[in-house]
Amino acid sequence: MNILTVVGARPQFIKAAAVSRVLRKKHNEYLVHTGQHYDKNMSDIFFLELDIPKPDINLEVGSDTHARQTAAILVGIEDILLARKPDMVLLYGDTNSTMAGAIAAAKLCIPIAHVEAGVRGGYKDMPEEQNRIVTDHLATWNFAPSQIGVNFLAKEGITDKVFNVGDVMVDALLYYGNLSDIHDGSYYMARLAVIDEKRVLPDKYYLATIHRPENTDNILLYKDILEALELLDFPVIYPVHPRTRNLLKELDAIKKYKNIIFIEPLGYVDMIWFTRHAIKVITDSGGLHKEAYVQQIPGVVILRGTGWNETLKGNWNVLASPKKEDILAKVYDTKIDKEVWQPHYGDGKAAEKIVEILS
Ligand code: UD1
């Protein structure tokens, strides 16, 4: 079968890495990178480190408003689909690249497989939720990462060719997690810089990432979040998404906040390591708070709702508003019921199941 895969943003490179490894044993894959993420630390590092086949084409759409970025991807993908005529289009997650891929393929009546289907956070004004809804409804095969995903799809009337295969991020975590403890020179550069130079000890820091527009578009909200991190009882390691670089400058944050260690975005293997050794993660990233849950690290999630609803059980993750007091209260006062943890996201064999079903 000729399969055309669309990726564009950081988490999709990791998901595609897990599936491509299995897919390419049986099928021909043509990999399209939309160029939604383009910084070295947001894109190239993943292809090098995760040994992902090089994209066959990069649309280089870059950053723009939602409509312009989505439109550029849509036009670019349509041209490629017309030229290559694949048997199917494979899409991941909930980014603008995902939704544009879905619309382009659906208009040309090319079947779509959506990996990470049925995830719902409950807020239609979040771009990710919009992208999820459109993609799930246009897809031919919907691969949900957990049973809740199957249930959400059923509520919206999608029941045909829906499969709970588990989460391909668990496949990736298991595969690359083994590398994360290897100190062979290629995988510990960021770790060395933070742990040795900044004298931060494993298991004695918080890990934070903040990049969602709802927390970064308003500088006052963003400042309040940083002030909470500044007041915490242990240092906070904060890999900075490029979207927030200018805000940090405007707030003179690097000079001002001594408890926060601002670093460049991390590669995936280092990110796994930093997550494993954190006291808690404090984040608005969907991927990170789920990865923390899978590794039994608690989290404070600065979002109104999460698509990863299972992780809220037993307070492994708790939602917080972007207010200093609420964040501090959630970090310090949350009682976690450790017995409640369950492997909701499968056994690390999601990619095999997906490829078997599609085959
Ligand atoms: C996107 C996804 C989000 C995902 C995140 C992972 C959408 C709507 N959102 O958000 O679901 O959690 O990726 O990181 O698709 N930028 C750079 N360099 C880059 C990439 C981005 O400087 O390599 C900056 C640009 O200023 C850009 C901003 O980040 O305007 C936002 O980038 P964009 O790709 O639109 O969305 P993300 O916020 O990264």
Side-chain angles (χ1 to χ4, degrees), residues 223-290:
K223 185 166 173 240
D224 227 36
I225 296 172
L226 293 183
E227 302 217 321
L229 303 182
E230 176 68 4
L231 290 174
L232 285 172
D233 51 352
F234 283 96
V236 179
I237 296 174
Y238 179 175
V240 175
H241 188 290
R243 160 193 278 286
T244 54
R245 268 186 212 133
N246 290 342
L247 293 179
L248 291 181
K249 259 193 218 137
E250 221 173 297
L251 294 168
D252 201 15
I254 293 167
K255 246 201 230 145
K256 196 160 142 201
Y257 299 114
K258 303 285 182 223
N259 195 44
I260 310 175
I261 300 166
F262 296 99
I263 58 173
E264 288 295 312
L266 291 168
Y268 183 58
V269 177
D270 266 331
M271 199 63 187
I272 297 176
W273 192 89
F274 276 108
T275 307
R276 274 187 191 167
H277 290 285
I279 304 166
K280 285 190 177 187
V281 300
I282 302 161
T283 186
D284 57 9
S285 152
L288 181 58
H289 72 266
K290 184 194 46 190

Coordinates of all heavy atoms in Angstrom, one line a residue, residues 223-290:
K223 N 2.9 36.2 33.3 CA 3.8 36.7 34.4 C 3.4 36.0 35.8 O 4.2 35.6 36.6 CB 3.6 38.2 34.5 CG 4.5 38.9 35.5 CD 4.5 40.4 35.3 CE 5.3 41.0 36.4 NZ 4.5 42.0 37.1
D224 N 2.1 35.9 36.0 CA 1.6 35.3 37.2 C 2.0 33.8 37.3 O 2.4 33.3 38.4 CB 0.0 35.3 37.2 CG -0.5 35.8 38.6 OD1 0.2 36.7 39.2 OD2 -1.5 35.3 39.0
I225 N 2.0 33.1 36.2 CA 2.5 31.7 36.2 C 4.0 31.7 36.5 O 4.4 30.9 37.4 CB 2.3 31.1 34.8 CG1 0.8 31.0 34.5 CG2 2.9 29.7 34.7 CD1 0.4 30.6 33.0
L226 N 4.8 32.6 35.9 CA 6.2 32.6 36.3 C 6.4 32.9 37.7 O 7.3 32.4 38.4 CB 7.0 33.6 35.4 CG 7.1 33.3 33.9 CD1 7.9 34.4 33.2 CD2 7.7 32.0 33.6
E227 N 5.6 33.8 38.3 CA 5.8 34.2 39.7 C 5.5 33.0 40.6 O 6.2 32.8 41.6 CB 4.9 35.4 40.0 CG 5.3 36.5 39.1 CD 5.3 37.9 39.7 OE1 4.4 38.2 40.5 OE2 6.2 38.7 39.3
A228 N 4.6 32.2 40.2 CA 4.3 31.0 41.0 C 5.5 30.0 40.9 O 6.0 29.5 42.0 CB 3.1 30.2 40.4
L229 N 6.1 29.9 39.7 CA 7.2 29.0 39.6 C 8.4 29.5 40.5 O 9.2 28.8 41.1 CB 7.7 28.9 38.2 CG 6.6 28.4 37.2 CD1 7.2 28.2 35.8 CD2 6.0 27.0 37.6
E230 N 8.5 30.9 40.5 CA 9.6 31.5 41.2 C 9.5 31.2 42.7 O 10.5 31.1 43.4 CB 9.6 33.0 40.9 CG 10.6 33.9 41.7 CD 12.0 33.6 41.3 OE1 12.3 32.8 40.3 OE2 12.9 34.2 41.9
L231 N 8.3 31.0 43.2 CA 8.1 30.9 44.7 C 8.2 29.4 45.1 O 8.1 29.1 46.3 CB 6.7 31.4 45.1 CG 6.6 32.9 45.0 CD1 5.1 33.3 45.2 CD2 7.5 33.6 45.9
L232 N 8.4 28.5 44.2 CA 8.4 27.1 44.6 C 9.6 26.7 45.4 O 10.6 27.4 45.4 CB 8.3 26.2 43.3 CG 6.9 26.1 42.7 CD1 6.9 25.4 41.4 CD2 5.9 25.5 43.6
D233 N 9.4 25.6 46.2 CA 10.5 25.2 47.1 C 11.7 24.5 46.5 O 12.7 24.3 47.2 CB 9.8 24.3 48.2 CG 9.0 23.2 47.6 OD1 8.8 23.1 46.4 OD2 8.6 22.3 48.4
F234 N 11.6 24.2 45.2 CA 12.7 23.6 44.5 C 12.9 24.3 43.2 O 11.9 24.9 42.7 CB 12.5 22.1 44.3 CG 12.8 21.3 45.6 CD1 11.7 20.9 46.4 CD2 14.1 20.9 45.9 CE1 12.0 20.2 47.6 CE2 14.3 20.2 47.1 CZ 13.2 19.8 47.9
P235 N 14.1 24.2 42.6 CA 14.2 24.9 41.3 C 13.3 24.3 40.2 O 12.8 23.2 40.3 CB 15.7 24.6 40.9 CG 16.3 23.9 42.1 CD 15.3 23.5 43.0
V236 N 13.0 25.1 39.2 CA 12.1 24.7 38.2 C 12.9 24.8 36.8 O 13.4 25.8 36.4 CB 10.9 25.7 38.0 CG1 10.0 25.4 36.9 CG2 10.2 25.8 39.4
I237 N 13.0 23.6 36.2 CA 13.6 23.5 34.9 C 12.5 23.8 33.8 O 11.5 23.2 33.8 CB 14.3 22.2 34.7 CG1 15.4 22.0 35.7 CG2 14.8 22.1 33.2 CD1 16.0 20.6 35.7
Y238 N 12.8 24.8 33.0 CA 11.8 25.3 32.1 C 12.3 25.3 30.6 O 12.9 26.3 30.3 CB 11.3 26.6 32.5 CG 10.2 27.3 31.7 CD1 9.6 28.5 32.1 CD2 9.8 26.8 30.5 CE1 8.7 29.1 31.4 CE2 8.8 27.4 29.7 CZ 8.3 28.6 30.2 OH 7.3 29.2 29.4
P239 N 12.1 24.3 29.8 CA 12.5 24.4 28.4 C 11.5 25.3 27.7 O 10.3 25.1 27.7 CB 12.3 22.9 27.9 CG 12.1 22.1 29.1 CD 11.5 23.0 30.2
V240 N 12.0 26.3 27.0 CA 11.1 27.4 26.6 C 10.7 27.2 25.1 O 11.6 27.1 24.2 CB 11.9 28.8 26.7 CG1 11.1 29.9 26.1 CG2 12.2 29.0 28.1
H241 N 9.4 27.1 24.9 CA 8.9 27.1 23.5 C 9.1 28.4 22.8 O 9.0 29.5 23.4 CB 7.4 26.8 23.6 CG 6.7 26.5 22.3 ND1 6.5 27.5 21.3 CD2 6.1 25.4 21.8 CE1 5.9 26.9 20.3 NE2 5.6 25.7 20.5
P242 N 9.5 28.4 21.5 CA 9.8 29.7 20.9 C 8.7 30.7 20.9 O 9.0 31.9 20.9 CB 10.1 29.3 19.4 CG 9.9 27.9 19.3 CD 9.7 27.3 20.7
R243 N 7.5 30.3 21.0 CA 6.3 31.2 21.1 C 6.5 32.2 22.2 O 5.9 33.3 22.2 CB 5.1 30.3 21.2 CG 3.9 31.0 21.8 CD 2.8 30.0 22.1 NE 2.0 29.5 21.0 CZ 1.1 30.2 20.4 NH1 0.8 31.4 20.8 NH2 0.4 29.7 19.4
T244 N 7.2 31.8 23.3 CA 7.3 32.6 24.5 C 8.6 33.4 24.6 O 8.7 34.2 25.6 CB 7.1 31.8 25.8 OG1 8.0 30.8 25.8 CG2 5.7 31.2 25.9
R245 N 9.5 33.3 23.7 CA 10.8 33.9 23.8 C 10.6 35.5 24.0 O 11.3 36.0 24.9 CB 11.5 33.7 22.5 CG 12.4 32.5 22.5 CD 13.3 32.5 21.3 NE 13.5 31.1 20.9 CZ 13.4 30.7 19.6 NH1 13.0 31.4 18.7 NH2 13.7 29.4 19.4
N246 N 9.8 36.1 23.2 CA 9.6 37.5 23.3 C 9.1 38.0 24.6 O 9.5 39.0 25.2 CB 8.8 38.1 22.2 CG 9.5 37.9 20.8 OD1 10.7 37.8 20.8 ND2 8.7 38.0 19.7
L247 N 8.1 37.2 25.1 CA 7.6 37.5 26.5 C 8.6 37.5 27.5 O 8.7 38.4 28.4 CB 6.5 36.5 26.8 CG 5.2 36.4 26.0 CD1 4.3 35.4 26.5 CD2 4.5 37.8 26.1
L248 N 9.5 36.5 27.4 CA 10.6 36.4 28.5 C 11.5 37.7 28.4 O 11.9 38.2 29.4 CB 11.4 35.2 28.2 CG 10.7 33.8 28.5 CD1 11.7 32.7 28.3 CD2 10.2 33.8 29.9
K249 N 11.7 38.1 27.2 CA 12.6 39.3 27.0 C 11.8 40.5 27.6 O 12.4 41.3 28.4 CB 12.8 39.6 25.5 CG 14.2 39.1 25.1 CD 14.5 39.7 23.7 CE 15.3 38.6 23.0 NZ 14.9 38.4 21.6
E250 N 10.6 40.6 27.3 CA 9.8 41.8 27.7 C 9.7 41.8 29.3 O 9.7 42.9 29.8 CB 8.3 41.7 27.2 CG 7.8 43.0 26.7 CD 6.4 42.7 26.0 OE1 6.4 42.0 24.9 OE2 5.4 43.1 26.5
L251 N 9.6 40.7 29.9 CA 9.5 40.6 31.3 C 10.9 40.6 32.0 O 11.0 40.5 33.2 CB 8.8 39.3 31.7 CG 7.3 39.3 31.4 CD1 6.7 37.9 31.6 CD2 6.5 40.3 32.2
D252 N 12.0 40.6 31.2 CA 13.3 40.5 31.7 C 13.4 39.3 32.6 O 14.1 39.3 33.7 CB 13.7 41.8 32.5 CG 15.2 42.0 32.6 OD1 15.9 41.3 31.8 OD2 15.7 42.8 33.4
A253 N 12.8 38.2 32.2 CA 12.5 37.1 33.1 C 13.8 36.3 33.5 O 13.9 35.9 34.6 CB 11.6 36.1 32.4
I254 N 14.7 36.3 32.6 CA 15.9 35.4 32.8 C 16.7 36.0 34.0 O 17.3 35.3 34.8 CB 16.7 35.2 31.5 CG1 15.8 34.3 30.6 CG2 18.1 34.5 31.8 CD1 16.2 34.2 29.2
K255 N 16.8 37.4 34.0 CA 17.5 38.0 35.1 C 16.7 38.0 36.4 O 17.2 37.8 37.5 CB 17.8 39.5 34.7 CG 19.2 39.8 34.5 CD 19.4 41.3 34.6 CE 20.3 41.8 33.4 NZ 19.8 43.1 33.0
K256 N 15.4 38.2 36.2 CA 14.5 38.5 37.3 C 14.2 37.2 38.2 O 14.1 37.2 39.4 CB 13.2 39.1 36.8 CG 12.4 39.7 37.8 CD 11.4 40.7 37.1 CE 10.1 40.7 37.8 NZ 9.0 41.2 36.9
Y257 N 14.0 36.1 37.5 CA 13.5 34.9 38.2 C 14.6 33.9 38.4 O 15.1 33.2 37.5 CB 12.4 34.2 37.4 CG 11.2 35.1 37.2 CD1 10.8 35.6 36.0 CD2 10.4 35.5 38.3 CE1 9.7 36.4 35.8 CE2 9.3 36.4 38.1 CZ 9.0 36.8 36.9 OH 7.9 37.6 36.7
K258 N 15.1 33.9 39.7 CA 16.3 33.1 40.0 C 16.0 31.6 40.2 O 16.9 30.8 40.2 CB 16.9 33.7 41.3 CG 17.3 35.1 41.2 CD 18.5 35.3 40.4 CE 18.9 36.8 40.3 NZ 19.3 37.2 39.0
N259 N 14.7 31.3 40.6 CA 14.4 29.9 40.8 C 14.1 29.1 39.6 O 13.9 27.9 39.6 CB 13.2 29.8 41.8 CG 13.1 28.4 42.4 OD1 14.1 27.8 42.8 ND2 11.8 27.9 42.4
I260 N 13.9 29.9 38.4 CA 13.6 29.2 37.2 C 14.8 29.1 36.3 O 15.5 30.1 36.1 CB 12.5 30.0 36.5 CG1 11.3 30.3 37.4 CG2 12.0 29.2 35.3 CD1 10.2 31.2 36.8
I261 N 15.1 27.9 35.8 CA 16.2 27.7 34.9 C 15.6 27.6 33.5 O 15.1 26.5 33.2 CB 17.0 26.4 35.4 CG1 17.5 26.5 36.8 CG2 18.1 26.1 34.4 CD1 17.9 25.3 37.4
F262 N 15.7 28.6 32.8 CA 15.2 28.7 31.4 C 16.2 28.0 30.5 O 17.4 28.4 30.5 CB 15.0 30.1 31.0 CG 14.0 30.9 31.8 CD1 14.4 31.7 32.8 CD2 12.6 30.7 31.5 CE1 13.4 32.4 33.5 CE2 11.7 31.4 32.2 CZ 12.1 32.3 33.2
I263 N 15.8 27.0 29.7 CA 16.7 26.3 28.8 C 16.0 26.2 27.4 O 14.8 26.4 27.3 CB 17.1 25.0 29.3 CG1 15.9 24.0 29.5 CG2 18.0 25.1 30.5 CD1 16.3 22.6 29.9
E264 N 16.8 25.9 26.4 CA 16.3 25.7 25.1 C 15.3 24.5 25.1 O 15.4 23.6 25.9 CB 17.4 25.4 24.1 CG 18.3 26.6 23.8 CD 17.5 27.7 23.0 OE1 16.8 27.4 22.0 OE2 17.6 28.9 23.4
P265 N 14.4 24.4 24.1 CA 13.6 23.2 24.0 C 14.4 22.0 24.0 O 15.5 22.0 23.4 CB 12.8 23.4 22.7 CG 12.9 24.8 22.3 CD 14.2 25.3 23.0
L266 N 14.0 20.9 24.6 CA 14.8 19.7 24.7 C 14.4 18.7 23.7 O 13.3 18.7 23.2 CB 14.5 19.0 26.1 CG 15.1 19.7 27.3 CD1 14.5 19.1 28.6 CD2 16.6 19.7 27.4
G267 N 15.3 17.8 23.3 CA 15.0 16.7 22.5 C 14.2 15.7 23.3 O 14.0 15.9 24.5
Y268 N 13.6 14.7 22.6 CA 12.7 13.8 23.3 C 13.3 12.9 24.3 O 12.8 12.7 25.4 CB 12.1 12.9 22.2 CG 11.0 12.0 22.7 CD1 9.9 12.5 23.4 CD2 11.1 10.6 22.6 CE1 8.9 11.6 23.9 CE2 10.2 9.7 23.1 CZ 9.1 10.2 23.7 OH 8.1 9.4 24.2
V269 N 14.5 12.4 24.1 CA 15.2 11.5 25.0 C 15.5 12.2 26.3 O 15.3 11.7 27.4 CB 16.4 10.9 24.4 CG1 17.1 9.9 25.4 CG2 16.0 10.1 23.1
D270 N 16.0 13.4 26.2 CA 16.3 14.2 27.4 C 15.0 14.6 28.1 O 15.0 14.6 29.3 CB 17.0 15.5 27.0 CG 18.5 15.4 27.1 OD1 19.0 14.6 27.9 OD2 19.3 16.1 26.4
M271 N 14.0 14.9 27.3 CA 12.7 15.2 28.0 C 12.1 14.0 28.8 O 11.6 14.3 29.9 CB 11.7 15.6 26.9 CG 10.5 16.4 27.3 SD 11.0 18.0 28.0 CE 9.5 18.6 28.7
I272 N 12.3 12.8 28.3 CA 11.9 11.7 29.1 C 12.6 11.6 30.4 O 12.1 11.4 31.5 CB 12.1 10.3 28.3 CG1 11.3 10.3 27.0 CG2 11.8 9.1 29.2 CD1 11.6 9.0 26.2
W273 N 13.9 11.8 30.3 CA 14.8 11.8 31.5 C 14.4 12.8 32.5 O 14.2 12.6 33.7 CB 16.3 11.9 31.1 CG 17.2 11.6 32.2 CD1 17.7 10.3 32.5 CD2 17.7 12.5 33.2 NE1 18.4 10.4 33.6 CE2 18.5 11.7 34.1 CE3 17.5 13.8 33.5 CZ2 19.1 12.2 35.2 CZ3 18.1 14.4 34.6 CH2 18.9 13.6 35.4
F274 N 14.2 14.1 32.0 CA 13.8 15.1 32.9 C 12.5 14.9 33.5 O 12.2 15.3 34.7 CB 13.9 16.5 32.2 CG 15.2 17.1 32.2 CD1 16.0 17.2 31.0 CD2 15.8 17.6 33.3 CE1 17.2 17.7 31.0 CE2 17.1 18.1 33.3 CZ 17.8 18.2 32.1
T275 N 11.6 14.3 32.8 CA 10.2 14.0 33.3 C 10.3 13.0 34.4 O 9.8 13.1 35.5 CB 9.3 13.5 32.2 OG1 9.3 14.5 31.2 CG2 7.9 13.4 32.7
R276 N 11.1 11.9 34.2 CA 11.2 10.8 35.1 C 11.8 11.3 36.5 O 11.5 10.7 37.5 CB 12.2 9.8 34.6 CG 11.5 8.8 33.7 CD 12.4 7.7 33.3 NE 11.8 6.9 32.3 CZ 12.4 6.1 31.5 NH1 13.6 5.8 31.7 NH2 11.7 5.4 30.6
H277 N 12.6 12.3 36.4 CA 13.3 12.7 37.6 C 12.8 14.0 38.2 O 13.4 14.6 39.1 CB 14.8 12.8 37.4 CG 15.5 11.5 37.1 ND1 15.8 10.6 38.1 CD2 15.8 10.9 36.0 CE1 16.3 9.5 37.6 NE2 16.3 9.7 36.3
A278 N 11.6 14.4 37.8 CA 11.0 15.6 38.4 C 10.1 15.3 39.6 O 9.6 14.2 39.7 CB 10.1 16.3 37.3
I279 N 10.0 16.2 40.5 CA 9.1 16.1 41.6 C 7.6 16.1 41.1 O 6.8 15.2 41.4 CB 9.2 17.2 42.7 CG1 10.7 17.3 43.1 CG2 8.2 17.0 43.8 CD1 10.9 18.7 43.9
K280 N 7.4 17.1 40.2 CA 6.1 17.2 39.5 C 6.4 17.9 38.2 O 7.4 18.6 38.1 CB 5.1 18.1 40.3 CG 4.5 17.4 41.5 CD 3.4 18.2 42.1 CE 2.8 17.4 43.3 NZ 1.6 17.9 43.9
V281 N 5.5 17.7 37.3 CA 5.5 18.6 36.1 C 4.4 19.7 36.2 O 3.4 19.4 36.8 CB 5.3 17.8 34.7 CG1 6.4 16.8 34.6 CG2 4.0 17.2 34.6
I282 N 4.7 20.9 35.8 CA 3.7 22.0 35.8 C 3.7 22.4 34.3 O 4.7 22.9 33.8 CB 4.2 23.1 36.7 CG1 4.4 22.5 38.1 CG2 3.2 24.3 36.7 CD1 5.3 23.3 39.0
T283 N 2.5 22.2 33.7 CA 2.5 22.4 32.2 C 1.2 22.7 31.7 O 0.1 22.4 32.3 CB 3.1 21.0 31.6 OG1 3.2 21.2 30.2 CG2 2.1 19.9 31.9
D284 N 1.2 23.2 30.4 CA -0.1 23.3 29.7 C 0.1 22.4 28.4 O -0.7 22.5 27.5 CB -0.4 24.7 29.3 CG 0.6 25.4 28.6 OD1 1.6 24.8 28.1 OD2 0.5 26.7 28.4
S285 N 1.1 21.5 28.4 CA 1.2 20.6 27.2 C 0.4 19.4 27.5 O 0.6 18.7 28.5 CB 2.7 20.3 27.1 OG 2.9 19.0 26.5
G286 N -0.4 19.0 26.5 CA -1.2 17.8 26.6 C -0.2 16.6 26.6 O -0.4 15.7 27.5
G287 N 0.8 16.6 25.7 CA 1.7 15.4 25.7 C 2.4 15.3 27.0 O 2.5 14.1 27.5
L288 N 2.9 16.4 27.6 CA 3.8 16.2 28.7 C 3.0 15.7 29.9 O 3.5 14.8 30.7 CB 4.5 17.5 29.1 CG 5.4 17.4 30.3 CD1 6.5 16.4 30.1 CD2 6.0 18.8 30.6
H289 N 1.8 16.2 30.2 CA 1.1 15.7 31.4 C 0.7 14.2 31.3 O 0.6 13.5 32.2 CB 0.1 16.6 31.9 CG -1.2 16.8 31.2 ND1 -1.5 17.7 30.2 CD2 -2.4 16.1 31.3 CE1 -2.7 17.6 29.8 NE2 -3.3 16.6 30.4
K290 N 0.4 13.8 30.0 CA 0.1 12.4 29.8 C 1.4 11.5 30.0 O 1.4 10.5 30.6 CB -0.5 12.2 28.5 CG -0.9 10.7 28.3 CD -1.2 10.4 26.8 CE -0.2 11.0 25.9 NZ -0.5 11.0 24.5

